Amino acid sequence: MARRAGVSVGTVSNVINRPEAVLPDTRARVLAAIEELGYVRSESARQLRAGRSRIMALLVLDMGNPFFVDIARGAERAAREAGLGVMVCNSDQSQEEEAEYLGLFAEQRVCGVLVTPADATGGNLEAFARHRIPYVLVDRVAASTEHCAVCVDDVRGGMLAVGHLVSAGHRSVAYVSGPDDLYQIRDRRQGALAALAEAGLGPEALVEIPSDRLDVAAGRDAGARLLGLVPRPTAVFCANDLLALGVLQSLYAAGVRVPQDIAIVGYDDIEFAAAAAVPLTSVRQPATVMGRMAAEMLLEEADDTGGVHRHRSVVLQPELVVRASSSAPRGPVRPTP
Amino acid sequence: MARRAGVSVGTVSNVINRPEAVLPDTRARVLAAIEELGYVRSESARQLRAGRSRIMALLVLDMGNPFFVDIARGAERAAREAGLGVMVCNSDQSQEEEAEYLGLFAEQRVCGVLVTPADATGGNLEAFARHRIPYVLVDRVAASTEHCAVCVDDVRGGMLAVGHLVSAGHRSVAYVSGPDDLYQIRDRRQGALAALAEAGLGPEALVEIPSDRLDVAAGRDAGARLLGLVPRPTAVFCANDLLALGVLQSLYAAGVRVPQDIAIVGYDDIEFAAAAAVPLTSVRQPATVMGRMAAEMLLEEADDTGGVHRHRSVVLQPELVVRASSSAPRGPVRPTP
DNA sequence: AGAGGGGAGTGAATTGATTCAATCCGATCC
DNA sequence: GGATCGGATTGAATCAATTCACTCCCCTCT
């Protein structure tokens, strides 16, 4: 036993956890032994005793989407301030992967889970709830009163996006969507329809271009399909910026001018939206804030011993960021001397 | 004890780990009890006994860089095939963060670590080696014979990039670099200088624009500084694509045409490089492959009981992808009818 | 001087899964 | 019928840290 190196047993524990309760003399001796032996206390053992680990899990839909990376950043910062580690995992929008990861988290006895659900039925999480491990929904309204949630008002986001297009005179808007399992997709559509209705336009003014993935490649594909539409919509609202970037690439390759021929609005306002071929108008979501809030709520719940915690549901507001892809183009680029 | 629910003790363990060694009858009874009680075996307990966990750590320089996300993807896939979880962490190029995370990994007794070192001195990893936890360097040549490594030939990458610019007639190239602690930065510079030398140009042909961060914002800043240079280089080689995108934005905002006035070459060939304002020429790195190989080498080392494992160092080759940012511009965009 | 108090340190119990030597039991063999 | 064999099952030991009731010892107060 490494502790023998010093002289004692559970005193080592005191040196590490309550140094003030140990004489400076003894403490120094133990610390020296620790240093000499390169001793590192085993988390597994503490965990076993404590019943849960000091790791928080974050399960996102797509690690390749900078939006989720921002969420992870916010969550990670909050977690580290509390001395916890974060395990970031990727469900890839698959219910099976999600279920598998949730099982892994239960085995690990993580202290809590932040999750962007891929499973619209909520079955995975319902099953997970048995384990009494706290979890917080991220980027999704609360599905029950049994947990906290932080999300962004996606209906409003859809309204902002399409409202902007409608007020610029567009009368037919394509919606490059995604799997209908995802609330985000449905809510944004609903917002889009609401914006059209407000301008006296019916649901036929929204031409849906479905897509099963939500990445740049899927966007390119959707762009190609958009070009084949007759009559062709004069504007596109994309369910996220990755799709929008793909659509933009497609249009660009086909020689269609943005925004003159077709206007584009994306969603998320990822960093790369501003750096796109045509800087992208997008609906900004406070991703980092969302990640941080979710983590803080989770910590509050996890640390709650006296049953003081009350589940909350926070809805943040999105913000429209208008750039070139949906507004009158600036004049021709001025060459520098 | 949950196991009592059935009737036995360590038989539960057999049901789970060696089902064939248990009578179907008993097995069914135990499984029923497991189901009924919602039992999930505790990883902490197994870990404690096994001495190490079933989690692999991945410590990258910047989660916000899609290049590292691709590495993570490759590693994660390989790890999951072996039934392991991956804990992705972000050192943010900070030696302190790196040290802190390595400490965390040691406490967790992770089965191995994949790391893109932030600490050029190698001190952090040297200290970490005491714990006898295998680790593999990713995107960095082996620093000693005590570990495996997978990297990409950055000198060659720098040569490809600048060689391409030189052969297009450029005689003065800016190098938007990063912290000199990073081997990647140094090697790419060395490659750039070699390419210039090959064309009979001295080191003064490479104008360095230093930068401490490697993100889009730092790129915008570098772009501003580039514009102030007299005489102004006719081409820029950026140490990564994020910087390049930032530079591009800066130039674009100032009305400088790319590639006519200034050509740009990036590094990494992230997905967004192709979708940039001017599609970016870049040096492609096999990130996913690198992540996968690193994970596989780590698994081989971790699973090696008989001392069969020999440390290896794999060097992959980069590839130049030429796009508009460094080549003659295509004709004016053709409007569609 | 003896009792009482308190700070320092001890070590057994606890946590849950795994492992392994030991036990049990039915069946086969001599 | 007794011995032997082997598959099924058991339960104690193990892993490392934490916790807590307990011991020790020294100091102070009466």
Side-chain angles (χ1 to χ4, degrees), chain A residues 199-248:
Chain A
L201 295 167
E204 72 287 349
L206 193 73
V207 183
E208 186 141 348
I209 302 181
S211 158
D212 48 349
R213 308 278 323 150
L214 289 168
D215 50 28
V216 178
R220 279 192 290 262
D221 182 55
R225 275 179 289 153
L226 169 64
L227 291 171
L229 290 180
V230 185
R232 190 206 282 162
T234 58
V236 205
F237 169 41
C238 300
N240 78 10
D241 281 347
L242 300 183
L243 289 172
L245 289 173
V247 168
L248 182 59

Side-chain angles (χ1 to χ4, degrees), chain A residues 8-9 11 23 26 48-49:
Chain A
S8 35
V9 258
T11 300
L23 281 189
T26 322
L48 178 57
R49 190 110 224 305

Side-chain angles (χ1 to χ4, degrees), chain A:
Chain A
M1 234 191 292
R3 33 194 56 169
R4 279 249 224 93
V7 267
S8 35
V9 258
T11 300
V12 175
S13 177
N14 283 333
V15 170
I16 292 174
N17 301 303
R18 291 139 57 207
E20 75 287 354
V22 179
L23 281 189
D25 192 12
T26 322
R27 199 191 312 154
R29 206 147 24 97
V30 175
L31 288 175
I34 284 178
E35 177 57 29
E36 189 192 343
L37 295 170
Y39 165 86
V40 176
R41 78 163 173 287
S42 151
E43 259 299 307
S44 358
R46 325 181 62 196
Q47 278 178 34
L48 178 57
R49 190 110 224 305
R52 64 180 155 106
S53 82
R54 298 158 45 71
I55 290 193
M56 173 188 296
L58 169 59
L59 186 52
V60 299
L61 290 174
D62 177 13
M63 266 209 316
N65 187 341
F67 169 66
F68 290 108
V69 175
D70 284 345
I71 291 181
R73 277 240 188 71
E76 197 189 16
R77 233 169 275 156
R80 289 195 64 65
E81 283 167 18
L84 298 178
V86 179
M87 182 165 167
V88 183
C89 301
N90 194 9
S91 69
D92 243 329
Q93 281 176 51
S94 145
Q95 295 192 15
E96 291 75 37
E97 285 282 317
E98 179 175 288
E100 206 164 323
Y101 270 118
L102 288 175
L104 183 67
F105 299 157
E107 286 194 353
Q108 297 284 341
R109 304 282 196 272
V110 295
C111 66
V113 178
L114 302 178
V115 54
T116 335
D119 177 7
T121 69
N124 279 345
L125 283 167
E126 198 179 328
F128 182 72
R130 297 183 71 180
H131 303 304
R132 318 308 220 80
I133 295 177
Y135 63 95
V136 174
L137 297 197
V138 182
D139 199 28
R140 170 91 131 64
V141 290
S144 82
T145 54
E146 296 306 308
H147 54 249
C148 292
V150 191
C151 66
V152 178
D153 189 338
D154 280 322
V155 176
R156 174 138 183 79
M159 280 183 65
L160 285 173
V162 174
H164 164 66
L165 290 171
V166 167
S167 72
H170 295 280
R171 288 294 168 267
S172 172
V173 177
Y175 175 42
V176 177
S177 62
D180 240 36
D181 304 355
L182 298 179
Y183 274 72
Q184 290 89 334
I185 301 297
R186 303 215 289 260
D187 286 355
R188 289 168 199 176
R189 176 191 302 121
Q190 190 188 326
L193 289 172
L196 291 172
E198 210 167 81
L201 295 167
E204 72 287 349
L206 193 73
V207 183
E208 186 141 348
I209 302 181
S211 158
D212 48 349
R213 308 278 323 150
L214 289 168
D215 50 28
V216 178
R220 279 192 290 262
D221 182 55
R225 275 179 289 153
L226 169 64
L227 291 171
L229 290 180
V230 185
R232 190 206 282 162
T234 58
V236 205
F237 169 41
C238 300
N240 78 10
D241 281 347
L242 300 183
L243 289 172
L245 289 173
V247 168
L248 182 59
Q249 257 186 283
S250 253
L251 300 193
Y252 192 83
V256 176
R257 293 169 307 169
V258 175
Q260 295 94 326
D261 300 329
I262 295 187
I264 304 184
V265 176
Y267 209 106
D268 291 345
D269 193 33
I270 61 176
E271 188 170 30
F272 301 104
V278 179
L280 215 60
T281 294
S282 192
V283 178
R284 176 177 297 167
Q285 306 205 72
T288 313
V289 172
M290 189 153 60
R292 167 174 283 281
M293 288 188 73
E296 284 169 352
M297 285 160 80
L298 186 64
L299 288 169
E300 186 190 303
E301 182 173 352
D303 290 345
D304 177 49
T305 47
V308 182
H309 178 82
R310 288 287 165 272
H311 293 308
R312 282 174 291 153
S313 199
V314 177
V315 181
L316 303 172
Q317 289 304 316
E319 179 191 349
L320 183 73
V321 180
V322 178
R323 297 203 185 85
S325 75
S326 71
S327 53
R330 56 164 109 187
V333 172
R334 170 179 46 86
T336 339

Side-chain angles (χ1 to χ4, degrees), chain B residues 47-102:
Chain B
Q47 276 178 36
L48 178 58
R49 190 105 224 304
R52 64 181 155 104
S53 82
R54 298 160 44 72
I55 290 194
M56 173 187 297
L58 169 59
L59 185 53
V60 299
L61 290 174
D62 176 14
M63 265 209 317
N65 187 339
F67 169 66
F68 290 108
V69 174
D70 284 346
I71 291 181
R73 278 241 187 71
E76 196 189 16
R77 231 169 279 157
R80 291 196 62 67
E81 283 167 18
L84 297 178
V86 178
M87 181 166 169
V88 183
C89 301
N90 193 11
S91 69
D92 242 329
Q93 279 175 53
S94 144
Q95 295 192 15
E96 290 76 37
E97 284 283 317
E98 179 175 290
E100 206 165 323
Y101 269 120
L102 289 174

